[in-house]
């Protein structure tokens, strides 16, 4: 026994270290590639970087320049229009479909996957499909003319004032099924006894949903909002594929702005500043949510 | 998820029910329409699209657009078709998914069964990293990949996808293992089983479902990625970037039928996974958002 003690001791100590050793590559990668890089981008945003990174500090000059750029304002206003419509419409469609699907629908098993499949596609595929579907030359407008509705007009994608709404249409098509699934999961989690009791009390269908079911879905509303809001801020691929930011600059969003200022307009400092603002926006949405989620799971 | 009995679904009359089915079917057409348009028009000669109705089935059926999209369409400057880019995507996706899933499983195991001071903070940091806008890491990443000599290469893209994939894979396994009884792990420890033996013999055999969820999620995300591919792909661009180049190319006639065929080719792998294992895909989506 006495001879074996040191070996056992070594083994226990090794066992204590193994978990941390196993975790360490991921931890190191995260600290460098996520948080280190965030710190570096923040640094670049207060530097005079142009085409290449530079480490001479210029204070908040880039931020001042950024907020004086009309292109940035266009991107921010577009994001506000896009995100509010995108979140609002996705939530409305998702909730409606979930409630309707929850009425003992025959064929639910077929409808549900159909509503959700766009979520498996790349935004580039979605953008390509909708780009041509909404093209006035070959798309819906042309189809309606061929079907005999000669005065039908749908050329939003070519119209500076309306193009941003085409992005909303394509994005809603892609994600609303997912929101439906979130609400459906919420609905299926509601205790049926509560509903039965309310029905016995004579609540109408409408007030049953308005007074009882929808308030009980609060967590699903919150999750849907957070997920959609963060997707909206990150929207990039869809814009590139659908409109390329055009016509002109009419559908630029912060993500496309960041890319073009950093990599094609040689204003890396301004690009970095816009990325920092995007990060702060997402942090403001996600941090309280994640914090609450983590707390609850304890 | 407990699916409660649905016997109290709202009492509805015949007209209301017809109305409900009407709306549900309407939305079914809304979601299916673009897929129909893509398929139908990818099988038409170009003249039938420019001179005909997009919502109609082909008069003359042809597989020529598919052949062109796959092997001869002009992508950028080379008339290579999408095939080499499809291969790039596969070469990039397979290792990225494998590595990030294995690391996620190990991380989840450590964070739940070998907890130590500060593990909550580490998990919180990992979790937040899932949601960052990647624009915030693009500039440093470009510099670092350049310094490592990995810019514009498949290994470079694999590195990027693994690094930013770990957050989600860890999240999945951590939440899954958290529900697994720790007593079993304790008992095995007392019996003298070590870290890896417990993982191999006790955790892995029950990890099937979450592994399917995680693999599908990572596969879908990495296959569909555009931002990293466009930023760091260089000459080894993935499928999404090539498709975008094909569609946006401003030279020559717009070959819509070839674009549609290409779009389906780019969508096919993830769509197949969805058709075969949609249930797990949905679980992955939900696990990333809704309280478990």
């Amino acid at each position: 026994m006495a001879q074996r003690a040191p070996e056992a001791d070594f083994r226990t100590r090794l066992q204590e270290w193994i978990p941390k050793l196993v975790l360490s590559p991921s931890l190191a990668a995260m600290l460098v590639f996520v948080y280190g890089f965030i710190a570096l981008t923040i640094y670049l945003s207060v530097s005079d970087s142009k085409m290449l990174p530079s480490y001479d500090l210029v204070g908040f000059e880039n931020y001042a320049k950024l907020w004086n750029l009309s292109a940035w304002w266009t991107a921010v206003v577009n994001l506000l229009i896009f995100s509010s419509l995108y979140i609002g419409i996705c939530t409305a469609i998702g909730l409606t479909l979930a409630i309707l699907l929850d009425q003992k629908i025959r064929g639910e098993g077929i409808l549900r996957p159909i509503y959700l499949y766009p979520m498996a596609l790349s935004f580039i595929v979605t953008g390509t499909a909708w780009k041509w579907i909404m093209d006035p030359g070959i798309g819906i407008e042309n189809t309606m003319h061929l079907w005999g509705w000669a005065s039908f007009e749908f050329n939003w994608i070519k119209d500076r004032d309306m193009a941003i709404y085409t992005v909303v249409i394509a994005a809603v098509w892609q994600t609303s099924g997912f929101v439906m699934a979130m609400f459906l999961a919420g609905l299926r989690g509601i205790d049926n006894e509560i509903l039965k009791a309310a029905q016995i009390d004579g609540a109408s269908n409408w007030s049953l949903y308005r007074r009882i079911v929808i308030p009980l879905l609060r967590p699903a509303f919150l999750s849907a909002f957070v997920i959609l809001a963060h997707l909206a801020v990150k929207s990039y691929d869809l814009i590139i594929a659908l409109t390329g930011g055009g016509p002109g600059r009419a559908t630029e969003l912060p993500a496309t702005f960041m890319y073009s200022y950093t990599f094609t307009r040689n204003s890396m400092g301004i690009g970095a500043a816009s990325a920092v603002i995007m990060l702060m926006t997402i942090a403001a949405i996600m941090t309280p949510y994640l914090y609450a989620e983590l707390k609850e799971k304890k | 998820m407990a699916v409660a009995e649905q016997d109290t679904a709202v009492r509805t009359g015949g007209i209301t029910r017809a109305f409900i089915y009407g709306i549900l079917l309407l939305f079914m057409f809304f979601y299916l329409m673009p897929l129909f348009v893509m398929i139908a028009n990818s099988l038409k000669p170009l003249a039938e699209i420019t001179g005909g109705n997009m919502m109609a089935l082909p008069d003359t059926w042809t597989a020529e657009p598919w052949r062109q999209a796959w092997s001869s369409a002009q992508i950028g400057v080379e008339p290579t078709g999408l095939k080499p880019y499809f291969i790039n995507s596969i070469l990039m996706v397979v290792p990225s998914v494998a590595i990030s899933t294995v690391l996620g499983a190990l991380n989840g195991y450590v964070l739940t069964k070998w907890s130590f001071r500060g593990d909550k903070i580490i998990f919180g940091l990992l979790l937040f990293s899932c949601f960052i806008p990647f624009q915030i890491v693009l500039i440093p990443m470009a510099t670092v990949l350049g310094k490592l000599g990995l810019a514009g290469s498949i290994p470079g893209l694999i590195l990027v996808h693994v690094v930013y994939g770990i957050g989600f894979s860890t999240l999945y396994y951590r939440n899954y293992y958290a529900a697994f009884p720790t007593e079993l792990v304790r008992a095995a420890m007392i019996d003298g089983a070590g870290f890896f033996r417990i993982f191999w013999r006790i955790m892995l055999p029950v990890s099937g479902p979450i592994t399917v969820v995680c693999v599908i999620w990572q596969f879908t995300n990495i296959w569909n990625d555009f931002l990293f591919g466009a930023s760091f792909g260089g000459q080894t661009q993935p499928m999404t970037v090539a498709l975008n180049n094909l569609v946006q190319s401003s030279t020559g006639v717009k070959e819509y039928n070839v674009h549609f065929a290409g779009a389906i080719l780019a969508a096919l792998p993830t769509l197949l996974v969805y058709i075969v294992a949609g249930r797990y895909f949905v679980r992955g989506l939900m696990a990333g958002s809704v309280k478990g």
Side-chain angles (χ1 to χ4, degrees), chain A residues 43-59 61-62 65 266-270:
Chain A
Y43 187 96
L44 290 174
S45 78
V46 291
S47 76
D48 65 349
S49 305
K50 294 276 185 267
M51 197 177 96
L52 293 166
S54 144
Y55 298 97
D56 297 327
L57 292 174
V58 291
E61 201 182 289
N62 289 319
K65 278 188 196 154
N266 298 336
S267 312
M268 194 174 274
I270 292 177

Side-chain angles (χ1 to χ4, degrees), chain A residues 35 41 115 117 176 192 205 289, chain B residues 5 8 10 31 125 136 289:
Chain A
Y35 295 96
T41 304
Y115 292 167
Y117 86 89
S176 48
N192 253 326
N205 292 343
Y289 177 73
Chain B
E5 251 187 275
T8 55
V10 175
Y31 290 114
L125 288 172
I136 196 78
S289 57

Side-chain angles (χ1 to χ4, degrees), chain B residues 5-279:
Chain B
E5 251 187 275
Q6 287 305 304
D7 57 353
T8 55
V10 175
R11 287 157 292 184
T12 43
I15 298 171
T16 324
R17 282 200 87 68
F19 185 67
I20 290 175
Y21 278 99
I23 293 182
L24 290 175
L25 286 176
L26 202 69
F27 273 97
M28 186 184 83
F29 288 121
F30 170 63
Y31 290 114
L32 284 178
M33 182 269 283
L35 189 62
F36 169 79
V37 168
M38 282 197 279
I39 296 174
N41 290 282
S42 71
L43 295 165
K44 284 177 192 173
L46 185 59
E48 251 188 73
I49 301 178
T50 48
N53 188 340
M54 180 180 257
M55 301 292 167
L57 285 170
D59 279 333
T60 331
W61 296 75
T62 167
E64 182 59 19
W66 284 75
R67 203 196 54 73
Q68 276 185 38
W70 181 248
S71 56
S72 69
Q74 183 100 5
I75 314 286
V77 284
E78 301 284 342
T80 55
L82 291 167
K83 185 178 159 196
Y85 303 95
F86 194 90
I87 295 169
N88 282 347
S89 271
I90 289 178
L91 291 176
M92 167 189 89
V93 164
V94 173
S96 309
V97 171
I99 299 170
S100 63
T101 304
V102 169
L103 286 175
L106 287 168
N107 293 346
Y109 170 51
V110 171
L111 288 172
T112 52
K113 302 303 171 212
W114 299 82
S115 44
F116 51 90
R117 267 170 61 103
D119 59 354
K120 275 246 149 55
I121 296 170
I122 291 178
F123 181 62
L125 288 172
L126 266 174
L127 195 55
F128 181 73
S129 76
C130 296
F131 300 98
I132 57 167
F134 291 123
Q135 280 75 15
I136 196 78
V137 297
L138 279 187
I139 305 171
M141 197 51 154
T143 315
V144 167
L145 286 178
K147 289 238 165 81
L148 293 175
L150 292 175
S153 73
I154 300 273
L157 286 176
I158 294 173
L159 174 71
V160 175
H161 285 299
V162 167
V163 164
Y164 299 109
I166 294 175
F168 262 115
S169 60
T170 304
L171 166 69
Y172 288 141
Y173 281 99
R174 185 227 178 231
N175 287 353
Y176 188 79
Y177 288 155
F180 183 81
T182 307
E183 295 76 41
L184 281 178
V185 177
R186 287 261 162 73
M189 275 187 225
I190 291 165
D191 286 348
F195 178 86
F196 287 108
R197 185 194 282 270
I198 295 174
F199 182 67
W200 196 253
R201 288 288 177 78
I202 300 180
M203 305 309 283
L204 265 195
V206 299
S207 304
I210 199 64
T211 303
V212 178
V213 167
C214 184
V215 165
I216 289 179
W217 174 266
Q218 299 287 9
F219 175 79
T220 310
N221 263 355
I222 298 173
W223 184 276
N224 287 343
D225 160 73
F226 176 78
L227 182 63
F228 288 142
S231 308
F232 311 131
Q235 292 307 303
T236 54
Q237 287 163 343
M239 190 67 177
T240 47
V241 180
L243 171 64
N244 190 55
N245 286 344
L246 168 70
V247 176
Q248 310 291 346
S249 100
S250 46
T251 50
V253 197
K254 284 206 165 64
E255 292 180 304
Y256 304 107
N257 49 359
V258 178
H259 298 176
F260 284 127
I264 301 174
L265 283 171
L268 215 50
T270 53
L271 212 49
L272 280 178
V273 167
Y274 179 73
I275 292 167
V276 173
R279 208 157 51 90

Side-chain angles (χ1 to χ4, degrees), chain A residues 103-180:
Chain A
Q103 310 301 326
K104 283 199 282 183
I105 292 300
R106 225 173 289 162
E108 187 201 317
I110 298 167
L111 289 172
R112 220 171 354 126
I114 290 178
Y115 292 167
L116 217 98
Y117 86 89
M119 206 57 197
L121 304 181
S122 153
F123 274 115
I124 299 294
V125 172
T126 303
T128 303
W130 283 95
K131 182 188 179 73
W132 299 142
I133 290 170
M134 293 191 284
D135 185 273
I138 60 162
I140 294 175
E141 185 176 305
N142 181 46
T143 298
M144 288 300 170
H145 293 174
L146 290 170
W147 282 346
W149 186 353
S151 63
F152 183 86
E153 237 183 64
F154 184 66
N155 58 357
W156 288 5
I157 203 161
K158 305 269 183 203
D159 180 340
R160 279 164 179 273
D161 296 325
M162 303 305 280
I164 189 72
Y165 302 107
T166 64
V167 183
V168 176
I169 295 174
V172 164
W173 178 80
Q174 175 125 355
T175 356
S176 48
F178 170 40
V179 180
M180 178 278 298

